[in-house]
Amino acid sequence: MKFNEIPRMRLGKFRKNVVNIKEMLGIGITGPLTLIILSLLVFFPLYNITNNPLFLDTIKISSIILVVSSLPLPSLNGINIILKSKTLWLIYFLYSLLLYVLLNILHNSYAYLLALISSLLLAWIIKITLFNEVKK
């Protein structure tokens, strides 16, 4: 069996003037974070109103998606983050684990409120960080 290298599929090589690491970092963080914020703002109130376990399961699945996508494996969002900043990836990964514990193990109203506040705070910090890097 012979393996051939495909140059355009190599990790770490980017096409010029198409996508850079900063943009991939922004995409890698905002996608799963938006999913969590929307699920906390939409599905948690719907769960409280209807008591339907489908909404609770949707929130739990969203937190699992956040943890899996933060892993630094090729074709996941974690690799885009770790290529730019290892410190930011560590913060993002620890945040995703904390959110998983809050939403899947401690699933009460205070845990959801803390998860929502921490998600909005992290989104604000990331927005400021990315915006200041673009200005420089």
Side-chain angles (χ1 to χ4, degrees):
M1 190 183 278
K2 185 175 179 177
F3 296 104
N4 294 328
E5 177 185 0
I6 303 172
R8 67 182 182 91
M9 298 296 285
R10 289 205 40 156
L11 183 65
K13 291 195 174 197
F14 301 100
R15 297 182 191 139
K16 290 185 178 180
N17 299 327
V18 178
V19 177
N20 62 23
I21 295 177
K22 284 184 203 174
E23 291 172 353
M24 292 180 72
L25 169 76
I27 293 168
I29 288 178
T30 56
L33 194 60
T34 303
L35 176 69
I36 287 294
I37 291 173
L38 285 176
S39 67
L40 289 173
L41 288 175
V42 174
F43 293 121
F44 183 64
L46 286 174
Y47 171 71
N48 283 336
I49 293 169
T50 63
N51 240 359
N52 188 348
L54 176 67
F55 297 123
L56 186 63
D57 292 340
T58 305
I59 295 171
K60 289 180 180 183
I61 290 171
S62 297
S63 67
I64 292 170
I65 289 172
L66 180 67
V67 171
V68 170
S69 70
S70 67
L71 295 174
L73 300 173
S75 76
L76 291 177
N77 292 330
I79 195 72
N80 298 332
I81 300 166
I82 205 167
L83 285 174
K84 176 67 178 152
S85 170
K86 290 177 180 60
T87 306
L88 186 60
W89 174 81
L90 183 64
I91 292 168
Y92 184 66
F93 184 70
L94 291 176
Y95 164 76
S96 65
L97 289 177
L98 172 73
L99 208 62
Y100 176 79
V101 168
L102 284 174
L103 298 179
N104 289 327
I105 298 173
L106 301 175
H107 54 87
N108 59 25
S109 295
Y110 296 117
Y112 285 101
L113 184 63
L114 183 62
L116 180 62
I117 291 170
S118 65
S119 297
L120 292 173
L121 183 65
L122 183 67
W124 180 70
I125 290 170
I126 289 171
K127 178 186 172 285
I128 288 175
T129 305
L130 290 177
F131 187 69
N132 286 341
E133 283 187 12
V134 172
K135 277 185 174 180
K136 292 179 183 177

